[in-house]
Amino acid sequence: MHVMTLVRLARWTCLVLLCPPALALAGEPLTLHAADGVTVYGTLSRAQPHDRSIALLFHQAHANRHEYDSVVPALQKLGLDTLAIDQRSGGGLFGGHNETVAKLGASADYLAALPDLEAALAWARAQHYARIVAVGSSYSSSLVIVLAAKHPQGLSAIASFSPGEYFDDKNQIKQAAARVVVPFYITTDPDEAANVAEVLRDAHGANIVRYQPRVGVHGASTLVAARDPGGWQANLASFTAFLRGLPAPTR
């Protein structure tokens, strides 16, 4: 048999029979332990080369880490490693499986997932990343604002896709947003612009970059072609421009 035929056959065999799914090829499983003892499951994907930076990726309600599958390559092109986790509040959206919820036996409420975000941040800091960006979608986009307010020295920037006052205290996110001092990217789909205005009611710093898309959908899915065919390219371009504009790592 011709050598090139053998090579093609080997590749086909790997793709069809032997190799793990594409996500596994792009990343490696990572297990975190939240401060309250909950085990949190995620996928770490390393950029080649990377510039000592990482994006922590947090999904929306009823979802899992796979919300970001198509976004990870764009972040890796910028030199960012990524850690996408399954928070304890989630489910099976985007064709994925929330391993954390499955192991717990049920999905928790939104605010209960904050320790999961804190566990991801603590892990990234322990790895001595020089730049750490937290990215949230829907309810977790509100939680990243809380995360930045609680840990001002731990984060380099946050990106909040479709935040709102989703928790019992309807002033919690507004008050947290006013305390965020790191570069702060915030956006939502056009129909929910009032939610962003509410979140930013008391926040007026020069660190805030508010992007108002022409076309978009709820959450970080606005960056995904399959979810937002009319707007994802412009929205991803805006987000990556924000990331490129962050100060270079110094430590």
Side-chain angles (χ1 to χ4, degrees):
M1 189 178 292
H2 192 275
V3 171
M4 287 306 296
T5 302
L6 287 171
V7 169
R8 292 191 185 101
L9 179 60
R11 287 175 177 168
W12 180 90
T13 302
C14 176
L15 290 173
V16 177
L17 299 177
L18 301 176
C19 291
L23 181 64
L25 289 173
E28 58 191 82
L30 185 68
T31 302
L32 306 173
H33 299 285
D36 59 359
V38 171
T39 300
V40 180
Y41 298 89
T43 299
L44 174 67
S45 301
R46 300 185 188 274
Q48 295 295 335
H50 71 82
D51 65 355
R52 299 184 296 130
S53 301
I54 191 168
L56 307 176
L57 307 177
F58 307 119
H59 59 74
Q60 63 181 268
H62 311 294
N64 50 77
R65 72 190 94 166
H66 297 294
E67 180 173 6
Y68 292 95
D69 281 1
S70 68
V71 180
V72 166
L75 302 181
Q76 289 178 309
K77 287 180 181 178
L78 300 179
L80 286 147
D81 292 355
T82 62
L83 172 59
I85 68 166
D86 288 343
Q87 293 112 238
R88 71 186 73 184
S89 183
L93 285 184
F94 314 115
H97 169 73
N98 189 308
E99 194 173 357
T100 304
V101 170
K103 293 289 172 44
L104 287 173
S107 179
D109 65 47
Y110 297 159
L111 193 56
L114 180 59
D116 305 343
L117 277 63
E118 292 179 316
L121 175 58
W123 178 88
R125 295 190 69 184
Q127 306 308 305
H128 304 293
Y129 279 100
R131 183 166 54 186
I132 303 171
V133 181
V135 183
S137 178
S138 189
Y139 87 86
S140 73
S141 75
S142 292
L143 289 182
V144 299
I145 296 172
V146 175
L147 188 72
K150 287 186 66 177
H151 303 280
Q153 304 304 316
L155 285 164
S156 304
I158 61 170
S160 179
F161 289 85
S162 301
E165 293 286 4
Y166 299 128
F167 314 128
D168 290 341
D169 180 351
K170 298 306 177 184
N171 290 305
Q172 181 176 5
I173 307 308
K174 288 188 283 290
Q175 292 171 352
R179 300 198 305 274
V180 174
V181 295
V182 298
F184 179 1
Y185 183 89
I186 186 168
T187 186
T188 194
D189 68 271
D191 292 338
E192 298 178 324
N195 288 349
V196 169
E198 181 185 18
V199 165
L200 294 179
R201 187 193 68 184
D202 303 323
H204 308 290
N207 59 311
I208 299 168
V209 175
R210 181 176 179 182
Y211 170 60
Q212 300 185 63
R214 186 175 59 83
V215 178
V217 298
H218 185 73
S221 292
T222 202
L223 305 175
V224 178
R227 303 280 294 177
D228 184 16
W232 75 274
Q233 287 180 305
N235 301 339
L236 184 60
S238 170
F239 179 43
T240 54
F242 167 78
L243 294 173
R244 284 194 300 270
L246 294 175
T250 57
R251 65 179 189 272

